[in-house]
Amino acid sequence: MSFPMERNNDRHTAQHRYLLFPGCLASIRFPRLVYLARRLFPELGIEVTETESFSCCPDPVRLRGADRFTSLAIAARNLAVAGETGLPVITLCPSCTLTLAEAGRELKSDHGLLRKVNDVLAGCGRELSGIPPVSHFLKVLYESPGPAGLRDMVRRPLKGIALSYHSGCHENSPPDILRFDNPFNPRKNEELLDAIGARVVDYKEKSACCGSPLSLDGRMDDSLSAVALKVEDMRRCGAEALVVGCASCFQQFEIGQVMARRKGLLDAPLPVFHFIEVLALAMGYGSEAIDVSAHKVKGAGTAARLLRGEVS
Amino acid sequence: MITIDLKENSVLPGGMRQTEVCFECSVCALHCIVQHVAGFDSKNTFVYDLFRSDDPAVHRALWACSSCHKCVEVCPQDVDPLSVIVHLREKGFNEGRAPAYVYDLVKLVLETGYAFPITKKTQKDREELGLSAPDSSAVGEIRCIASRTGFLEKLK
């Protein structure tokens, strides 16, 4: 079995071309993120191609929990689809990144397992012969154009709005698979925020989860207390809004803050932005950068103006 | 006392005896979202509670863990709680004792190719943005995979 992309996995060999893996949540509930990624990434030197052949990555908690081998084989099928294009994969979702990168690593290191998976895939018309690298879009951006390059590309810097960055569970952990930033004190995405003109606000609870897995498990009060813990910490440290790189965290902070407020668990919610939205605003996009219906927390001042697509 | 792996009828396979070296230092709880679930504290972390459980495959917080891996990163004893959690989830699922929403999610993925339901709002939003309708052409292949691994049979 050969792994041509493993031997030659410098993403620059594909002239910054990637295959986009948008993920279920962005595709189904927040399609504006997909729309923005398609338009925005090429302006940053990242050409994206798409395929309609991908399925759910699959979900690293429930599908993987239900049946590890089937989950691995479905992930392997997605890798095979990508491998057929010869392109590295860029994702919009940290969890998809982890599922696919972890499957790739497992299959690269265990040829017996790869044969077993390929036996399954062969009966369904696929073969995994080259395992492409898989990266979340913020890692791709950090590597090229990088913070300095991005600063030069920005057309409308965010003029010092105070933003805190929330790191999703699977953005940096496990580090030996994702190979990006320190999961306990991540800084790189803050450097990107700084590059687009924001004033980054550090806070204590940086490594805490948004609480989304608790709400998925039906533990709403526990989930809302996790939301309140982070948001109150960010606000106390001076943030006017928070930014995420994960659609699931985005959904959790939007809906969670509304519900936490109703239950009296949170006094003052913060507007939430997906990184792609603030990036689009900094690149000169107006109100089309924002899906108004997805933003339940409107905020005030500069953050409220940003939500209307106004940077100045 | 840690019971998960010391009992004669341990629920974990032989390769996972690492749970026996846990000396309850509480470090695993430092970054754990499941610690928010009522009843866990530094003396009874989610991980200890799971390890001490008489029936860990149906532990009340087994599926609340996000698989963030941070407990694995910080554990000074290399216990790797996540691999234990993943194993227990599969055991509970195979026995039909996982939460109902897990079976629903699995079925949704195998029926549509997506982990979230495609709604009229999805279609309207995508249409307005000039995006094509969500494509479900992968469903045939992933059902084929699930059939060949025996997973579809298990779901019946």
Side-chain angles (χ1 to χ4, degrees), chain B residues 103-131:
Chain B
Y103 297 95
D104 292 343
L105 183 277
V106 167
K107 285 175 187 164
L108 181 66
V109 170
L110 293 177
E111 283 164 10
T112 68
Y114 295 93
F116 296 90
I118 299 165
T119 63
K120 285 183 181 168
K121 183 173 189 317
T122 304
Q123 288 164 340
K124 180 174 160 288
D125 287 350
R126 291 185 66 98
E127 201 176 303
E128 281 174 7
L129 293 165
L131 301 173

Side-chain angles (χ1 to χ4, degrees), chain A residues 113-131:
Chain A
L113 187 61
L114 177 63
R115 270 194 298 278
K116 206 173 149 194
V117 164
N118 263 332
D119 282 347
V120 170
L121 296 185
C124 307
R126 294 276 174 193
E127 182 194 6
L128 180 59
S129 56
I131 298 176

Side-chain angles (χ1 to χ4, degrees), chain B residues 10 14 16 38-39 62 71 83 90 92 105 107 110 124 132 134 142:
Chain B
S10 170
M16 301 181 81
L62 185 63
C71 58
S83 65
E90 191 173 71
L105 183 277
K107 285 175 187 164
L110 293 177
K124 180 174 160 288
S132 57
I142 62 173

Side-chain angles (χ1 to χ4, degrees), chain A residues 4 8 33 49 67 72 80 140-141 143 250 266 277:
Chain A
N8 186 19
L33 300 178
T49 301
D67 190 297
L72 180 67
V140 172
L141 275 180
E143 289 171 354
F250 178 84
L266 179 69
E277 293 178 317

Side-chain angles (χ1 to χ4, degrees), chain A residues 67-68 124 126 173 217 219, chain B residues 60 68 90 101 144 154:
Chain A
D67 190 297
R68 281 171 291 170
C124 307
R126 294 276 174 193
S173 183
D217 200 41
R219 301 167 184 282
Chain B
R60 64 192 174 99
C68 79
E90 191 173 71
Y101 76 85
C144 172
K154 269 198 286 189

